[in-house]
Amino acid sequence: MLTRPDVAIVGAGPVGLAIAWRCASRGLRVTVHDPAPGSGASHVAAGMLSPVAEAYFGEHELTALLAESAARWPRFAADLAEASGADVGYRADGTLVVGLTADDLAEARRLWSYQQGLGLPITPLRPSELRDREPALAPRVRGGAVAPGDHQVDPRRLVPALRAAAGRAGAVLRPARVGALSDVDAAVTVVAAGCGAAALTGLPVRPVKGQVLRLRAPGRGAPDFRHVIRGYADGESVYLVPRDSGEVVVGATVEERADTEVTAGAVLRLLRAAVDLVPELAEYDLVEATAGLRPGTPDNAPIIGPLPGRPGVVVATGHHRHGIVLTPVTADLVTELIVTGEPDPLLAPFTPDRFGKEPRWN
Ligand code: GLY
């Protein structure tokens, strides 16, 4: 029977569960509160670990955090496999960034030139080099680049593994909704509730809708391509994430909306772009079309650290497009903050107090 816990975590997505696992492994008494673990953004997420291809203009501090967390992933995956007995599908085949038409290639090149300027590992390839690496690409593809350090995991394997690891370390799951911070009683409360953090904390976290498809290779063999492919196709941006199971995740729209309807138009655009880049996908089964809500923030970066004016409340949310890649570093930094009381300098750009002048959004 658990008495008052040291740490109560609101939200059992990858971030909340990883914090639970890490804190429980340090000997803290931990509860995790969520009526439907793993049913938020991670259920829809493709699982790309993309510190290079997702290094966008003007996001230097976020780019540095993505690189830091991606570097922690191999160790995190190995520790998790040992602690849970489960494999999370970590794959290091690298990512190809490609453009279908000359215009698409110009757009892709503009971003990878910026990424190269930051010193990030991304290398342009001639069309023949591209097809040597990935013969499944359409002959029409005009060119691209390789980011060998951009990897992937399977978020639908990650969540059960984290649940198992957290549970084995002693964390207790409470399958109930937390409507207000006063609903939980612990020395420290961690808000890792994705979009739900807005109502709990008043911080400027907003839902950003993403529609995602899941295809399956015929005969249930692995897809004929190994790399994650991020493509521009007639102005559409799409990514294709192949898994050993035969699944290919095709994503994703980015919509400033809060509903989770799947629309015919989005499915059409995603499929057209996917098949234009990798024609064999037309023969795959379409097994799932879903929509999820990314927890967006005004500067696209996560919110991690003590909640101003609320002693004992720590926030770990707003991971927007990067929840899976940022899971290890978020868990490590929050755990250290709780155990030592000292914020790591890495946290400085991401603390909740940076939004002093933003309107509260709840
Ligand atoms: N990071 C992929 C997405 O947000 O769609």
Side-chain angles (χ1 to χ4, degrees), residues 5-10 15-16 18-24 26-31 186-192 304-306 312-316 330-344 347:
D6 300 310
V7 184
I9 298 164
V10 184
V15 168
I19 295 168
W21 170 40
R22 293 301 207 202
C23 283
R26 299 286 283 269
L28 298 172
R29 288 169 304 165
V30 178
T31 55
V188 176
T189 300
V190 179
V191 181
I304 310 170
V313 177
V314 173
V315 180
T330 305
D332 291 347
L333 296 179
V334 170
T335 302
E336 279 312 307
L337 177 65
I338 292 170
V339 170
T340 67
E342 294 295 325
D344 188 290
L347 280 177

Side-chain angles (χ1 to χ4, degrees), residues 48 54 239 252 294 321-322:
M48 291 176 297
E54 291 194 354
Y239 51 76
R294 308 173 181 90
R321 305 195 68 170
H322 311 292

Side-chain angles (χ1 to χ4, degrees), residues 19 24-25 28 35 41 43 50 77 97 120 127 148 177 192 217 227 251 267 269 275 304 311 317:
I19 295 168
S25 301
L28 298 172
H43 183 68
S50 279
V97 179
L120 298 174
R177 182 176 170 275
H227 293 82
V267 173
R269 287 193 301 279
V275 171
I304 310 170
T317 188

Side-chain angles (χ1 to χ4, degrees), residues 52-354:
V52 176
E54 291 194 354
Y56 297 124
F57 299 105
E59 296 183 354
H60 297 84
E61 285 161 334
L62 174 58
T63 296
L65 193 70
L66 294 176
E68 175 65 36
S69 199
R72 295 181 189 211
W73 249 105
R75 177 72 195 269
F76 182 84
D79 286 353
L80 184 54
E82 191 178 326
S84 67
D87 174 7
V88 298
Y90 183 89
R91 274 180 47 173
D93 297 281
T95 293
L96 298 178
V97 179
V98 304
L100 185 66
T101 66
D103 282 348
D104 294 322
L105 187 57
E107 189 174 348
R109 187 180 287 125
R110 186 160 177 259
L111 184 57
W112 85 55
S113 299
Y114 165 77
Q115 293 157 349
Q116 283 184 299
L118 295 177
L120 298 174
I122 184 162
T123 307
L125 299 174
R126 286 195 298 275
S128 59
E129 294 174 314
L130 207 53
R131 264 177 289 280
D132 283 348
R133 283 177 187 256
E134 211 53 276
L137 282 169
R140 285 177 62 205
V141 170
R142 292 291 289 257
V146 61
D150 280 18
H151 300 159
Q152 63 144 305
V153 295
D154 185 344
R156 291 186 180 175
R157 296 168 77 176
L158 175 63
V159 166
L162 284 169
R163 274 184 76 167
R168 286 182 186 183
V172 175
L173 181 69
R174 301 246 189 264
R177 182 176 170 275
V178 172
L181 291 179
S182 55
D183 292 352
V184 288
D185 179 29
V188 176
T189 300
V190 179
V191 181
C195 294
L200 290 169
T201 64
L203 286 166
V205 181
R206 71 181 194 288
V208 181
K209 177 178 176 180
Q211 300 190 52
V212 179
L213 310 177
R214 281 174 162 78
L215 312 184
R216 188 165 298 284
R220 298 197 172 261
D224 281 341
F225 59 105
R226 296 278 313 166
H227 293 82
V228 171
I229 296 173
R230 306 181 69 101
Y232 298 81
D234 284 323
E236 288 295 330
S237 173
V238 71
Y239 51 76
L240 312 172
V241 182
R243 306 226 199 274
D244 293 336
S245 64
E247 182 178 85
V248 176
V249 182
V250 180
T253 64
V254 181
E255 303 168 65
E256 292 290 345
R257 300 173 56 144
D259 66 274
T260 53
E261 303 304 321
V262 174
T263 64
V267 173
L268 176 66
R269 287 193 301 279
L270 289 170
L271 282 180
R272 188 162 47 207
V275 171
D276 279 349
L277 294 169
V278 177
E280 70 173 43
L281 292 177
E283 311 296 329
Y284 283 39
D285 300 334
L286 172 58
V287 292
E288 191 183 299
T290 35
L293 300 175
R294 308 173 181 90
T297 65
D299 57 8
N300 298 329
I303 309 174
I304 310 170
L307 184 64
R310 292 297 301 262
V313 177
V314 173
V315 180
T317 188
H319 291 72
H320 194 214
R321 305 195 68 170
H322 311 292
I324 305 299
V325 64
L326 290 176
T327 290
V329 79
T330 305
D332 291 347
L333 296 179
V334 170
T335 302
E336 279 312 307
L337 177 65
I338 292 170
V339 170
T340 67
E342 294 295 325
D344 188 290
L346 277 176
L347 280 177
F350 307 106
T351 52
D353 54 8
R354 74 185 188 275

